[in-house]
Amino acid sequence: MCLSSRPLERREQGLQRSTGEGRGHSLTNVCQLGFPNIGNTCFMNATLQCLLSLTCFWTPIIAQQASWMDTASSQMLRCLAELQQARLSSSKKQKKQLLRALKSCLSARCPAFDGYDQEDAHEFLMLILLQLKEEGEALRTSCVSSICPVEHFEFQLKSVRTCTSCGLQVSRVEDFNHLSINLRSTLAHSLHAYFQPTDIEISCECEQGCRASEVQEFSTLPRSLVDLQASKPHLGPAYGQECPPTGLYRLHGVVSHLGNSLDSGHYISDVAEGEGDSWLTFNDSEVSHMNESAVLKRRAKTAYLLFYVRSGAEENNPPFWKWDHRAVTPCP
């Protein structure tokens, strides 16, 4: 069943929507949103552009700085906050310093990211979310009240296994922050195929059954759904707005890999520019405009990570570059 689109109340404190002439930024400012490549870091740049364009992701980070800014363990939160607030800066030097700091923060826990080889965008995203999750848990352990931005990506899947011999059913609920699916003509069709019953090997209490049918379904829904392509995708025209079995989602960002191998090639990203048909294409420092139909057509065979937002989750939120940043407390 599709969920209806309803505007959500703005609850974030310390952020105000700009008015009058300050409501938007010039094309020149938008073109400054790009990130310089500091050495085979297109995988970082493309993924960060999609992440930092999600209002539900970056507003908790910025709005809650007072709760974590003096905490030594909040290194990734600090890196992302500083990078987000520098996005409209024309200083490539500043952005390079911040990107190196973020890369250094990540490589401290995963040495593979210490060098300047091409890395996988999905692995990079998962490590970012994992580190943010751990930093959020550390804050809660310290009795600091905060909303972890990773919560908006998390959801639960319920699986039910039925023994084919005795009919015994065993159910369990697991936590996820992304799905790895084979993209079909629409997201609804892709999810329908993903949730088809599967035949698996088991060891049943009846001591006779060795096979079972497993069925999965959403137990909870994420505010933002990350879809990792398990095979070469096909983005049809319906991917701009989709109706999965349990809710209405809208495509918000695409990370594409151009090349035949994930160890080489080049990553770029496309992000919806608020409501309407306008999108921005990020190719490291270069930023250009494109309409949605062109994005779906051009990325039909190169999309690697797809970022969806649940209808209503972002509709009252203008893009980052249309906020009045004078109302956002800068990082110390």
Side-chain angles (χ1 to χ4, degrees):
M1 181 177 66
C2 295
L3 301 178
S4 60
S5 303
R6 292 187 299 173
L8 295 184
E9 249 179 63
R10 180 165 305 288
R11 295 183 176 88
E12 294 87 351
Q13 297 180 352
L15 299 171
Q16 298 175 3
R17 196 170 179 171
S18 57
T19 58
E21 294 182 358
R23 191 175 185 81
H25 290 272
S26 67
L27 178 61
T28 302
N29 287 114
V30 170
C31 289
Q32 292 173 355
L33 288 167
F35 291 144
N37 193 312
I38 57 174
N40 287 328
T41 54
C42 56
F43 70 94
M44 272 181 51
N45 293 344
T47 307
L48 287 170
Q49 292 290 1
C50 283
L51 260 186
L52 296 177
S53 72
L54 292 168
T55 308
C56 65
F57 176 79
W58 68 263
T59 47
I61 295 176
I62 302 295
Q64 299 177 125
Q65 286 184 94
S67 66
W68 56 257
M69 65 170 53
D70 296 325
T71 306
S73 62
S74 302
Q75 296 180 4
M76 184 58 68
L77 283 168
R78 188 171 293 105
C79 287
L80 289 170
E82 292 176 348
L83 186 61
Q84 178 72 323
Q85 292 173 324
R87 285 183 75 193
L88 282 171
S89 169
S90 60
S91 173
K92 287 189 177 181
K93 180 179 179 181
Q94 180 189 18
K95 290 182 179 180
K96 285 181 178 180
Q97 290 174 341
L98 295 175
L99 288 167
R100 289 192 184 100
L102 189 148
K103 189 170 179 292
S104 175
C105 178
L106 196 65
S107 61
R109 68 173 302 139
C110 185
F113 286 84
D114 189 38
Y116 288 93
D117 294 329
Q118 177 76 282
E119 300 294 345
D120 180 57
H122 174 249
E123 184 180 0
F124 171 75
L125 174 63
M126 292 299 102
L127 286 171
I128 289 279
L129 298 183
L130 176 61
Q131 186 155 345
L132 287 174
K133 180 80 171 178
E134 291 177 353
E135 290 183 8
E137 291 172 351
L139 288 173
R140 282 192 288 271
T141 302
S142 303
C143 298
V144 176
S145 177
S146 65
I147 298 174
C148 180
V150 181
E151 293 178 7
H152 300 300
F153 295 96
E154 295 177 328
F155 58 94
Q156 292 183 324
L157 291 183
K158 178 182 178 181
S159 63
V160 179
R161 294 180 178 181
T162 305
C163 176
T164 56
S165 296
C166 68
L168 176 67
Q169 289 190 332
V170 178
S171 63
R172 62 177 179 175
V173 175
E174 293 182 280
D175 297 324
F176 292 85
N177 59 18
H178 74 284
L179 286 179
S180 178
I181 65 177
N182 292 314
L183 197 60
R184 298 172 184 261
S185 58
T186 68
L187 178 61
H189 291 157
S190 302
L191 290 175
H192 178 73
Y194 181 85
F195 288 116
Q196 286 295 302
T198 56
D199 185 52
I200 60 173
E201 294 184 1
I202 63 164
S203 178
C204 185
E205 295 177 2
C206 67
E207 298 182 352
Q208 297 178 357
C210 61
R211 310 293 302 180
S213 174
E214 183 177 52
V215 178
Q216 287 186 309
E217 63 179 14
F218 280 111
S219 179
T220 62
L221 286 172
R223 190 172 180 181
S224 180
L225 175 65
V226 178
D227 172 14
L228 167 68
Q229 295 314 303
S231 64
K232 283 292 185 181
H234 172 73
L235 290 183
Y239 263 89
Q241 186 159 296
E242 285 291 339
C243 184
T246 47
L248 185 66
Y249 281 79
R250 177 172 52 84
L251 184 63
H252 185 78
V254 182
V255 172
S256 294
H257 180 261
L258 312 180
N260 296 323
S261 169
L262 292 179
D263 296 325
S264 59
H266 184 60
Y267 285 99
I268 62 173
S269 58
D270 301 277
V271 173
E273 193 180 10
E275 300 177 30
D277 190 48
S278 179
W279 282 57
L280 291 178
T281 297
F282 296 93
N283 184 355
D284 289 330
S285 295
E286 297 179 6
V287 184
S288 58
H289 281 272
M290 194 182 297
N291 60 45
E292 184 177 79
S293 59
V295 170
L296 296 177
K297 182 178 180 180
R298 295 189 184 186
R299 312 304 176 220
K301 298 188 182 301
T302 60
Y304 181 51
L305 293 173
L306 301 176
F307 292 77
Y308 289 90
V309 292
R310 206 161 77 196
S311 184
E314 301 276 310
E315 290 180 359
N316 267 7
N317 298 329
F320 166 80
W321 48 94
K322 293 185 180 179
W323 282 85
D324 182 357
H325 298 284
R326 293 169 299 182
V328 181
T329 305
C331 288

